[in-house]
Amino acid sequence: MTAWPVLTTERLVLRAPAPADAGAFMAFYQTDRARFVGGPMTPRQAWNFFGTEIGHWVMRGFGMFTVTRQGSDAPLGIVGHWYPHGWPEKEVGWVLFDATSQGQGIAQEAARACLDHAWTVLGWDTVVSYIDKGNDASVRLAERLGAALDTGAAIPNPEKDVLVYRHPRPQVLQ
């Protein structure tokens, strides 16, 4: 594999997923907290999905970053760029593994870094976040990031009740 980018913020390091992250990833995806992001899953399903996260980097050249605090390699969650086969638009998404990480601005700080990376490095011309209806915490985060509900946007799976939040392109890039 090639060397993937590492993003840093004031408090966080965002790096490509590593095999050592599998345990935290799988533990989260086996819980009810994962209900808005495809879970809960069996251990095998969670393992396969973790492989998908790594494979996305290989196939697309970008993906969801593992988020850690500066000075620690313990995974707090995954935040980043997502565009699997069949997805209507490129997405920035976020997942925090442990409820104790919520409410600290971690997902917001990481998502802002990923949005900046999408606009300036990846050269995306539009970015959305797909959010399951009922995931009020993610809706609030999308709105804090400046995103607005786009009721006319296509959704990845018409059988799921998903909201599409469109992130504004920075003025300097328009």
Side-chain angles (χ1 to χ4, degrees), residues 104-116:
Q104 299 176 35
I106 292 168
Q108 182 174 342
E109 188 174 325
R112 282 195 193 285
C114 290
L115 286 164
D116 180 64

Side-chain angles (χ1 to χ4, degrees), residues 29-30 35 55 70 76 79 100 111 129 148 154-155:
Y29 273 95
Q30 292 175 67
R35 70 188 175 281
Q70 295 240 8
L76 301 174
V79 177
T100 61
S129 291
I155 59 174

Side-chain angles (χ1 to χ4, degrees), residues 36-82:
F36 294 123
V37 288
M41 299 177 179
T42 66
R44 181 182 175 110
Q45 289 169 324
W47 169 260
N48 289 345
F49 190 40
F50 183 70
T52 298
E53 294 287 349
I54 293 173
H56 191 282
W57 278 94
V58 173
M59 295 181 75
R60 293 284 196 207
F62 58 83
M64 299 289 279
F65 291 94
T66 295
V67 178
T68 67
R69 291 187 189 276
Q70 295 240 8
S72 169
D73 207 37
L76 301 174
I78 54 172
V79 177
H81 312 99
W82 192 241

